[in-house]
């Protein structure tokens, strides 16, 4: 099914691929093999893709989006939850007014989630806003000064660091443990509640509490309480209210 001008797709189940390169409207709940949007797409119901959902222009869904893989290099807005079996790739902008659950998430553009974000692996090198809990086994957030905020973070391996390709008013000093844990080149990122993980390496982060087994607090951090069980490193330029070994 192809729309190259202006048209609409009735609600129902379609055992086929759908391509919208003009202006297309989906009137209700839709189930199909895949969807490719290179024009303007609007959906009044939920969308279920057995395969890929691709957006290279503008798509606005008023209910849930389910797909095996989701890729957007344009603007994707979903007013409900997003469920993705494998990977979500964001090179443009994505807004989800519910929760996002995926196998993995990779963002090089802008991603805004009103609820929780759950994945096995999460990588962000763009703007990130998450109103709830960001929960993943591996979390890597590269900051560039416009990276936003998160409600709280939980995971096994958590890295939050300044993108070495982005200029700063002053150079960040790196300490040995932090450099070892991050193992990557080198505006404050706000975590409203706490960061809790097995291994935590952060810089340029403001949060009330950090808890971890091995913790490295880099430069330009503002933290009220840090709790650790095995090893800790704190940069001289970090502001930490209290450190406890637990």
């Amino acid at each position: 099914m192809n729309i190259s001008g202006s048209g609409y797709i009735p609600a129902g189940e379609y055992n086929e691929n759908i391509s919208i390169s003009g202006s297309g409207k989906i009137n209700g709940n839709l189930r199909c093999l895949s969807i490719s949007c290179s024009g303007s797409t609007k959906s009044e119901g939920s969308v279920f893709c057995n395969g890929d959902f691709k957006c290279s222009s503008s798509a606005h869904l008023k209910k849930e989006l389910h797909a095996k893989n989701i890729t957007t290099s344009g603007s994707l807005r979903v007013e409900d939850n997003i469920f993705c079996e494998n990977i979500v790739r964001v090179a443009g902008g994505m807004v989800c007014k519910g929760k996002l659950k995926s196998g993995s998430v990779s963002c090089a553009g802008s991603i805004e989630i009103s609820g929780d974000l759950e994945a096995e692996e999460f990588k962000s090198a763009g703007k990130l806003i998450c109103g709830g809990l960001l929960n993943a086994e591996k979390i890597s957030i590269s900051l560039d000064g416009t990276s936003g905020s998160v409600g709280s973070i939980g995971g096994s391996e958590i890295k939050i660091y300044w993108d070495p390709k982005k200029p700063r008013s002053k150079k960040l000093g790196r300490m040995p443990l932090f450099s070892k844990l991050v193992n990557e080149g080198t505006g404050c990122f706000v975590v409203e509640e706490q960061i809790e993980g097995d291994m935590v390496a952060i810089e340029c982060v403001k949060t009330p509490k950090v808890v971890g087994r091995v913790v490295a607090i880099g430069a330009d951090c503002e933290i009220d309480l840090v709790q650790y069980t095995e090893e800790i490193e704190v940069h001289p330029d970090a502001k930490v209210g209290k450190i406890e070994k637990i």
Side-chain angles (χ1 to χ4, degrees):
M1 180 177 289
N2 299 308
I3 296 177
S4 57
S6 177
Y8 71 93
I9 301 171
E13 294 193 18
Y14 297 83
N15 188 28
E16 55 189 71
N17 302 313
I18 294 174
S19 175
I20 301 171
S21 58
S23 175
K25 184 177 180 181
I26 303 169
N27 286 341
N29 294 340
L30 178 75
R31 187 179 296 274
C32 61
L33 296 182
S34 69
I35 293 182
S36 177
C37 310
S38 57
S40 174
T41 302
K42 294 182 179 180
S43 172
E44 298 295 326
S46 297
V47 173
F48 300 83
C49 290
N50 293 331
D52 297 348
F53 182 97
K54 297 180 180 179
C55 172
S56 59
S57 54
S58 173
H60 184 187
L61 282 61
K62 290 190 176 179
K63 293 188 178 179
E64 291 184 347
L65 170 60
H66 299 249
K68 182 169 285 187
N69 298 290
I70 298 172
T71 302
T72 176
S73 57
S75 174
L76 172 61
R77 183 181 181 91
V78 180
E79 302 293 343
D80 208 321
N81 303 319
I82 296 176
F83 298 97
C84 181
E85 184 178 336
N86 293 332
I87 184 168
V88 173
R89 293 186 178 93
V90 181
M94 173 187 281
V95 175
C96 172
K97 303 303 287 184
K99 65 181 178 181
L100 169 61
K101 185 174 182 180
S102 178
S104 64
V105 177
S106 178
C107 176
S110 171
I111 186 167
E112 181 178 340
I113 311 297
S114 296
D116 296 338
L117 196 163
E118 182 181 345
E120 289 296 317
E121 185 173 4
F122 177 83
K123 292 183 179 181
S124 173
K127 183 178 180 181
L128 167 63
I129 296 176
C130 177
L133 169 66
L134 168 56
N135 183 27
E137 281 295 308
K138 292 186 177 181
I139 297 171
S140 177
I141 300 172
S142 175
L143 307 176
D144 62 3
T146 60
S147 299
S149 64
V150 170
S152 58
I153 296 177
S156 178
E157 182 181 292
I158 301 168
K159 303 174 184 179
I160 305 174
Y161 57 94
W162 189 268
D163 185 340
K165 299 172 186 168
K166 303 296 181 180
R168 282 181 58 86
S169 58
K170 64 177 182 178
K171 187 176 180 180
L172 282 169
R174 289 274 169 77
M175 297 181 73
L177 178 60
F178 184 92
S179 299
K180 177 183 175 182
L181 294 178
V182 171
N183 194 29
E184 302 196 32
T186 57
C188 230
F189 183 75
V190 177
V191 181
E192 300 288 351
E193 296 181 14
Q194 70 171 17
I195 299 172
E196 183 172 356
D198 181 57
M199 184 282 287
V200 180
I202 60 174
E203 64 187 358
C204 306
V205 173
K206 183 177 181 180
T207 186
K209 187 177 180 181
V210 173
V211 182
R213 180 180 60 84
V214 178
V215 178
I217 306 298
D220 289 1
C221 283
E222 296 182 31
I223 304 164
D224 297 333
L225 174 63
V226 176
Q227 295 179 321
Y228 73 102
T229 57
E230 287 188 13
E231 190 176 2
I232 190 167
E233 176 184 77
V234 179
H235 194 279
D237 291 341
K239 298 178 181 178
V240 178
K242 187 177 181 181
I243 298 174
E244 293 180 350
K245 186 171 183 179
I246 55 175

